[in-house]
Amino acid sequence: MPGGDYNAVKSGGLKLKAGKKNLFKVGKDKKKRNKDEGEKIDPDTVENGGWRKIADEYDMKGGINVAIEVASGEKGSTRTYIAAMDNGKFTIGFPHPEGEGPNPEEIFALVKTPDDSKISLKTGFGRYVGVDSEFQLVAFSEAIGVREQFLLVFQDGKTAFQAVALPLFLSTVASKEGNVHVASRTATENEMVNIRTDAVKEGPVDWRSAEDRKSARDCETAYVKMYQHSKVDLKNRHIAIDVKDRKGVKKAQAEGSAHELLLDRRMKMKSDRYC
């Protein structure tokens, strides 16, 4: 072909005709649309102004804001919350309209460590919620003691609030003076509450070590290398590995006991060689 014909060809990137979609973005748009369609909105959370219900202990994270809602009734949600007063006592607040969350005096800071089921609550007045000698719910203390510790009992989709020091369940029926108190040793309808939070729900946390999260074979290899006498990297050569019973290793990984299982198997293999 003559050189002039080459020069007549226009250079530049590939241009698609008008109205055509970019072929490289079709999959992304579809994936985004499917993700949006898969997201579900909880009507109960919307009705309570974005405050969702905590259904189990694993969702209780220290440092989040919580509110205690009266859950008695057919619907199990009254949009009525326990409120702190400036005199250190508590009362049952007024019902909120649909779509409105709790008031500031009805919001508490949750204090909880990951390895302890007991919780404590701190009011907006800077005092910890506790129980006095007359079984009343009060907030006078600036530190956490036994009287300022509580347990949440989750069962069959219902929740009850129990004091540790007594132990009695929190009643959603106010006393004659209009104060909140703990009154019953058993959780009946008047002791049912909803613990709500405005914190975003997080997925389950995998507390296992990096070795335990590997496949069964790689997990066992990692532990053998870790506890072998030689510090030289053998690159998977001359490492005694039991190629049987991978199901046992996988089960131990899920239960968090892989460390003990693999050490026991390692000791048994070493003793068998000298039999």
Side-chain angles (χ1 to χ4, degrees):
M1 182 182 289
D5 295 335
Y6 282 101
N7 297 330
V9 178
K10 293 183 179 180
S11 60
L14 177 63
K15 296 182 181 179
L16 301 176
K17 294 182 179 180
K20 298 291 185 179
K21 293 184 178 180
N22 190 332
L23 298 178
F24 299 100
K25 293 184 179 180
V26 174
K28 293 182 180 180
D29 295 339
K30 183 178 180 180
K31 183 177 181 180
K32 182 178 180 181
R33 182 170 62 253
N34 293 338
K35 182 179 180 181
D36 295 339
E37 292 175 355
E39 294 180 354
K40 296 181 180 179
I41 300 175
D42 184 14
D44 177 71
T45 303
V46 176
E47 291 178 2
N48 288 272
W51 286 70
R52 63 179 177 85
K53 187 190 302 184
I54 293 179
D56 53 61
E57 182 183 344
Y58 299 102
D59 202 9
M60 301 291 293
K61 309 291 184 182
I64 64 175
N65 293 328
V66 296
I68 305 174
E69 179 192 20
V70 177
S72 59
E74 295 181 359
K75 294 184 177 180
S77 176
T78 60
R79 295 194 294 275
T80 303
Y81 301 91
I82 293 176
M85 298 185 290
D86 54 4
N87 62 357
K89 296 184 179 181
F90 294 82
T91 187
I92 304 296
F94 294 100
H96 289 261
E98 184 175 338
E100 183 178 281
N103 295 329
E105 62 271 16
E106 299 167 339
I107 299 175
F108 309 98
L110 177 66
V111 180
K112 183 182 183 299
T113 57
D115 57 345
D116 193 353
S117 59
K118 295 186 289 293
I119 67 168
S120 297
L121 300 176
K122 192 174 185 180
T123 69
F125 299 102
R127 298 292 187 272
Y128 290 98
V129 181
V131 180
D132 64 6
S133 58
E134 297 179 353
F135 306 148
Q136 293 188 107
L137 203 66
V138 294
F140 297 132
S141 178
E142 296 182 357
I144 298 176
V146 179
R147 291 182 177 271
E148 287 75 35
Q149 293 180 331
F150 300 90
L151 288 172
L152 291 175
V153 180
F154 298 95
Q155 186 175 351
D156 300 331
K158 297 181 179 181
T159 308
F161 194 87
Q162 185 182 34
V164 173
L166 298 175
L168 297 172
F169 287 98
L170 177 72
S171 176
T172 58
V173 178
S175 63
K176 295 180 180 179
E177 295 79 14
N179 299 325
V180 177
H181 61 295
V182 292
S184 177
R185 291 190 177 275
T186 58
T188 62
E189 183 180 355
N190 291 332
E191 284 74 42
M192 295 296 104
V193 298
N194 291 328
I195 307 298
R196 294 191 177 273
T197 180
D198 59 348
V200 178
K201 188 173 183 178
E202 300 178 357
V205 179
D206 192 349
W207 299 102
R208 297 177 300 169
S209 64
E211 290 79 11
D212 292 347
R213 291 195 295 269
K214 295 180 179 180
S215 64
R217 181 178 180 82
D218 294 340
C219 176
E220 187 166 7
T221 303
Y223 274 107
V224 171
K225 281 187 175 183
M226 189 185 305
Y227 293 103
Q228 66 182 359
H229 292 290
S230 175
K231 299 301 180 181
V232 180
D233 186 6
L234 302 178
K235 297 182 180 180
N236 295 331
R237 293 176 298 174
H238 309 295
I239 297 179
I241 298 177
D242 186 2
V243 295
K244 303 177 182 178
D245 192 19
R246 294 300 177 196
K247 293 182 179 180
V249 179
K250 291 181 179 180
K251 182 179 179 182
Q253 284 179 294
E255 296 176 351
S257 58
H259 189 182
E260 292 80 0
L261 174 69
L262 295 175
L263 283 180
D264 292 342
R265 290 172 58 170
R266 175 69 172 164
M267 291 177 61
K268 184 177 184 302
M269 291 170 60
K270 291 177 67 177
S271 62
D272 290 346
R273 286 188 296 175
Y274 297 101
C275 291

